[in-house]
Amino acid sequence: MITIQFNGEPHQLKAHALPEVLLELGAPKMCAVAINGQFVPINEHHSVILQDADALDAFTPMQGG
């Protein structure tokens, strides 16, 4: 298990691969992701492995002005 910060809150997870982590956390399918402050393009999600103490932030698109 690893412990990460997800949107500022600590979470213990079984998964380490980013797509599985997002699924385990219940994150929206269409979201922008940053790990430790670095944006991760969606086409690179499959190759990202999270480490203990990483900070993961997920952002959903917003409409309006």
Side-chain angles (χ1 to χ4, degrees):
M1 292 193 77
I2 61 171
T3 301
I4 67 164
Q5 293 286 321
F6 176 62
N7 290 342
E9 299 291 327
H11 289 268
Q12 286 193 326
L13 305 170
K14 292 180 183 178
H16 292 134
L18 181 57
E20 287 79 19
V21 165
L22 292 172
L23 186 64
E24 187 174 335
L25 291 167
K29 289 188 178 202
M30 295 301 296
C31 64
V33 173
I35 299 174
N36 300 324
Q38 295 291 104
F39 172 73
V40 180
I42 197 163
N43 63 335
E44 294 179 17
H45 283 197
H46 68 280
S47 64
V48 174
I49 304 297
L50 281 96
Q51 305 295 317
D52 200 43
D54 277 346
L56 171 64
D57 293 295
F59 308 91
T60 55
M62 295 179 68
Q63 294 184 6

